[in-house]
Amino acid sequence: MKTIRSMLVLALLFIAVTECSAESLQVTTTPTSVQVKRGAAVAMNVNLKNVLAPRDPVTITAEAEWEDEYGTARTATASTTITVVQPVKLNRYKVVLPALFDFVAGSAKIDGQPATPVLEADRLTFALERTLLEGESVSLEYSVKAQ
């Protein structure tokens, strides 16, 4: 029994990878570690956040030159500042379910709304298809059950 419990804890650690940051996307999962008994469900929470900062603004300046009715040269300028955003497009989030764990049907949510991820063999796939601007995030919830 002790060996099976150790295997279940080890397997759950593979599901709940602690915070890992890509260059532009921060992925945080909780819990990071938990002991679970056979038949017990474990609620998983995932937060995906765009951690990019906006680029420095770009200013475009235009100048008009003309002469008035007296022949005096005149100029007028106008400028516009453009802030360049750095979005991150999220397509999918995939979870590999280790041996001895099952997905709990009906437990999945995206930003608090019910979701239906695709379960194929040992892989759970959430279709996200959304774009996150700087500082925006999306949260996923699902539960797994130890066999």
Side-chain angles (χ1 to χ4, degrees), residues 13-132:
L13 287 174
F14 282 61
I15 297 172
V17 177
T18 187
E19 185 175 311
C20 69
S21 292
E23 186 175 311
S24 57
L25 187 67
Q26 180 183 56
V27 181
T28 308
T29 60
T30 55
T32 56
S33 177
V34 67
Q35 286 190 350
V36 62
K37 293 182 180 179
R38 292 180 69 189
V42 178
M44 304 297 297
N45 295 296
V46 180
N47 189 57
L48 305 157
K49 182 178 182 180
N50 178 345
V51 294
L52 291 174
R55 294 182 187 171
D56 291 334
V58 176
T59 301
I60 299 173
T61 303
E63 183 177 77
E65 297 178 352
W66 79 92
E67 289 182 17
D68 64 16
E69 67 270 12
Y70 303 107
T72 305
R74 305 270 187 187
T75 62
T77 60
S79 62
T80 301
T81 301
I82 301 172
T83 302
V84 180
V85 296
Q86 299 189 81
V88 172
K89 185 171 187 305
L90 296 174
N91 297 319
R92 288 169 293 289
Y93 183 78
K94 297 179 181 181
V95 180
V96 176
L97 300 176
L100 304 178
F101 281 89
D102 292 322
F103 167 66
V104 177
S107 67
K109 294 181 181 179
I110 298 175
D111 284 337
Q113 298 299 313
T116 307
V118 175
L119 180 61
E120 292 178 350
D122 63 348
R123 185 174 305 250
L124 185 63
T125 303
F126 287 84
L128 298 173
E129 304 300 331
R130 60 181 69 194
T131 300
L132 301 178

